[in-house]
Amino acid sequence: MKTDRESVASPPPCPEIADREIFTRIARGEVSALAVLYERYRGPLFRFVSHATKHASDAEDIVQSTFLVAARTARSYDGRANARPWIFGIASRLVHRRLRTRARWLRTFGELARRFRGAYHDAPRHLSLRNELTRALEGLSEAKRVTILLAEVEGMSCEEIASALRVPVGTVWTRLHHARLELRDAIQRGRS
Amino acid sequence: MKKRCSRLWAVEAARDGRLGGLERDEMHRHLADCADCAAHAAWLADLGRGLRALPFADMSQLAARRQRAQLLGAFNEWVLRTSTARRSVWGRVAFGAAALVLCAAGLRLGPRLWRMREAVTETPVVEVQADPGARWSQHTGPVHRVEILEGEVFLRIRRTPSVARVVITVPDGEIEDFGTALSVKVQKEETAKVSVAEGEVELRLHGRPSVDLRAGETWYARRPGESQPTLPPEVASAGGERVHLEAQRARTVGLAKKKYRRPDNTDVGADGGQEQAEDSAYVAIIELLDAGKTTEAQAAARAYLQRFPEGLRRVEISRIAAAKVEP
């Protein structure tokens, strides 16, 4: 189905080698095919993971792990022409795992965590709109944040997002709707 | 409280692709008349733009290159590990039996084997001769890597049991060696020429199909609008295009003329007639291949084989005629 979203720049397609062909070659052990995949998707993947995890150091690790997992599981690639849902799906699961580990760490080291969170909340209140949006985004649950990033920043359709996150497409619609409502409320609270 | 438009939900639905063609068109017409829905659509668009404009600190080029190298290295190690781990149980049994036999033989032949090992380790895996100003490096390991950043480098590769693969890395791809002597030229971070003197290689460059090159073959990167490389002076003086085309494939005029020499030591084509016709047919096939006209070249190859069943180049032409053409 066509969407009303503004077109988002996707990685330039290589007319000679489709994603499907790249994965076939990676499955055969061709290292150069993995290099092509890396050049094609590193930028958008890093952007997505940076916003999803909030920590730059996590983003580099997760991006590298994503490509390594994609390469090792290339034999089970589903053969579609566009690999974005596949790759972003792997990245989303790695983000989830990382955030879960981080939350467990924070729970374990409770006092240190309270001091850390306290310092964060003591940040000055005179924030620009862009920072308000950043904070609002960080206030979303991981599921809603990942969904709205894939939709609005990466330009994926709801069907692609559903495939990447392995959820029904109705769940994607619901998450998008609630994410938008929460972002609007958080921005309005920030301004007032 | 002001009642909002009951079709506000459809604005989001249109944005997310939940409406069919007619419904979307109808929604767009409604937006022109409804301030509520138009404001909501504008807000959604602003939110999208704001999210896309969120700042983030991207990796530096150096960090990205480092990450790329680490990633490719890790994948390569994994490929080697998994391919060796697939040995069957019987394979392991056979391996164990062979190991026992080798141990017994080793006890008898120990001193001689030690001398052979020393001889192998003294011989470098890859001998490199580089043009002045060329930038390159070598990295040893189970996969021996030679990285060429700029300039022309000639490599002679010797196989040893401890080195499973030799890979030559260039800025825009890599070349896998299968037991060769070859030269590689890199200009402005792009591979310009690969010439194989012995053995064969697989050339894998970004954005191009992989190419197999055998002994005597040379690959040039030709940019759009560029003509054939100009003849070196020694080739031009040696007798023109026939020798030039072979020289392109053999890299030196001497080797080219040698390939054309018949068993009775006469130059091919010197006496005209049958031999000249055969040479002309061969040269025409090579010209078609160099121009990228593979289908025409294969048709010409088949015609050559029919016309000259005992021709001097029948083995090479048979390979060209039988090669699969990529769509």
Side-chain angles (χ1 to χ4, degrees), chain A residues 1 4 16 38 152 180, chain B residues 15-17 24 28 52 67:
Chain A
M1 288 259 200
D4 273 0
E16 287 89 4
Y38 180 82
E152 295 289 355
R180 287 167 179 142
Chain B
R15 186 169 181 85
D16 294 337
R24 278 184 70 244
H28 288 145
R52 284 189 295 281
Q67 185 182 68

Side-chain angles (χ1 to χ4, degrees), chain B residues 102-181:
Chain B
L102 279 172
C103 282
L107 286 170
R108 276 201 72 167
L109 301 170
R112 196 190 298 182
L113 283 174
W114 185 256
R115 283 195 293 277
M116 282 169 66
R117 177 183 170 278
E118 283 177 339
V120 165
T121 52
E122 280 170 9
T123 308
V125 173
V126 181
E127 264 178 45
V128 178
Q129 289 169 22
D131 281 356
R135 290 187 291 137
W136 61 276
S137 59
Q138 276 197 69
H139 310 274
T140 56
V143 177
H144 193 102
R145 291 194 177 271
V146 179
E147 186 173 7
I148 303 172
L149 295 174
E150 182 71 27
E152 187 157 11
V153 175
F154 179 80
L155 306 108
R156 183 176 292 280
I157 294 148
R158 297 181 205 286
R159 288 283 168 192
T160 69
S162 61
V163 176
R165 288 170 69 201
V166 176
V167 177
I168 301 146
T169 309
V170 287
D172 56 341
E174 63 183 25
I175 304 161
E176 177 113 24
D177 157 72
F178 298 112
T180 46

Side-chain angles (χ1 to χ4, degrees), chain B:
Chain B
M1 191 174 158
K2 184 191 165 190
K3 204 173 171 194
R4 303 196 74 187
C5 179
S6 61
R7 300 180 64 184
L8 222 53
W9 66 271
V11 177
E12 217 172 311
R15 186 169 181 85
D16 294 337
R18 284 150 50 193
L19 300 183
L22 288 174
E23 288 173 307
R24 278 184 70 244
D25 293 340
E26 208 274 320
M27 183 68 230
H28 288 145
R29 282 194 292 274
H30 174 74
L31 283 177
D33 298 324
C34 178
D36 264 351
C37 292
H40 191 48
W43 185 85
L44 289 175
D46 281 344
L47 178 65
R49 274 192 291 274
L51 288 169
R52 284 189 295 281
L54 282 176
F56 70 101
D58 198 358
M59 296 166 71
S60 66
Q61 270 203 359
L62 186 61
R65 284 189 69 177
R66 192 167 47 234
Q67 185 182 68
R68 180 182 179 276
Q70 284 169 355
L71 171 70
L72 300 187
F75 178 59
N76 194 42
E77 296 302 323
W78 179 82
V79 167
L80 288 174
R81 233 186 4 256
T82 49
S83 62
T84 54
R86 277 192 211 117
R87 269 188 239 129
S88 65
V89 171
W90 284 116
R92 289 195 198 105
V93 168
F95 179 76
L100 278 172
V101 168
L102 279 172
C103 282
L107 286 170
R108 276 201 72 167
L109 301 170
R112 196 190 298 182
L113 283 174
W114 185 256
R115 283 195 293 277
M116 282 169 66
R117 177 183 170 278
E118 283 177 339
V120 165
T121 52
E122 280 170 9
T123 308
V125 173
V126 181
E127 264 178 45
V128 178
Q129 289 169 22
D131 281 356
R135 290 187 291 137
W136 61 276
S137 59
Q138 276 197 69
H139 310 274
T140 56
V143 177
H144 193 102
R145 291 194 177 271
V146 179
E147 186 173 7
I148 303 172
L149 295 174
E150 182 71 27
E152 187 157 11
V153 175
F154 179 80
L155 306 108
R156 183 176 292 280
I157 294 148
R158 297 181 205 286
R159 288 283 168 192
T160 69
S162 61
V163 176
R165 288 170 69 201
V166 176
V167 177
I168 301 146
T169 309
V170 287
D172 56 341
E174 63 183 25
I175 304 161
E176 177 113 24
D177 157 72
F178 298 112
T180 46
L182 75 159
S183 75
V184 179
K185 186 173 184 179
V186 174
Q187 274 179 328
K188 293 180 186 172
E189 300 210 333
E190 282 190 6
T191 307
K193 185 178 84 171
V194 177
S195 187
V196 178
E198 293 169 17
E200 57 183 279
V201 300
E202 184 185 7
L203 179 60
R204 300 191 287 257
L205 300 181
H206 301 158
R208 299 173 195 254
S210 66
V211 177
D212 290 333
L213 292 173
R214 294 189 179 83
E217 293 179 347
T218 300
W219 177 91
Y220 290 93
R222 202 176 304 158
R223 289 177 178 78
E226 217 175 58
S227 57
Q228 283 277 357
T230 51
L231 293 175
E234 64 273 20
V235 175
S237 67
E241 195 158 10
R242 190 171 67 239
V243 179
H244 160 240
L245 286 166
E246 185 60 59
Q248 272 189 323
R249 297 170 70 77
R251 196 173 171 259
T252 63
V253 172
L255 189 52
K257 290 183 99 168
K258 208 165 134 189
K259 284 194 175 187
Y260 268 117
R261 210 158 273 280
R262 293 192 168 269
D264 61 355
N265 222 29
T266 52
D267 275 338
V268 167
D271 54 349
Q274 173 83 348
E275 287 80 11
Q276 193 167 17
E278 187 189 330
D279 293 339
S280 298
Y282 171 70
V283 164
I285 294 165
I286 301 304
E287 278 180 311
L288 286 168
L289 279 177
D290 279 346
K293 295 176 183 169
T294 314
T295 312
E296 290 89 338
Q298 287 193 308
R302 285 189 286 272
Y304 173 101
L305 291 169
Q306 234 178 354
R307 206 172 148 202
F308 308 109
E310 300 300 315
L312 182 69
R313 317 301 297 169
R314 63 185 178 283
V315 171
E316 183 181 352
I317 298 299
S318 301
R319 211 171 64 211
I320 293 171
K324 281 200 185 124
V325 179
E326 285 181 21

Side-chain angles (χ1 to χ4, degrees), chain A residues 7 22-23 29 34-35 44-45 52 58 90 93 107 130 145 161 172 185:
Chain A
S7 64
I22 288 177
F23 272 92
L34 179 58
L45 202 59
D58 283 350
I90 295 172
R93 287 188 284 283
R107 276 198 302 274
R130 190 165 290 172
R145 185 168 64 247
I161 297 170
V172 174
D185 292 344

Side-chain angles (χ1 to χ4, degrees), chain A residues 101-118:
Chain A
T101 306
R102 197 173 275 276
R104 227 178 307 170
W105 186 89
L106 288 174
R107 276 198 302 274
T108 305
F109 297 93
E111 179 57 31
L112 201 62
R114 275 195 287 280
R115 285 183 193 172
F116 174 77
R117 279 204 290 267

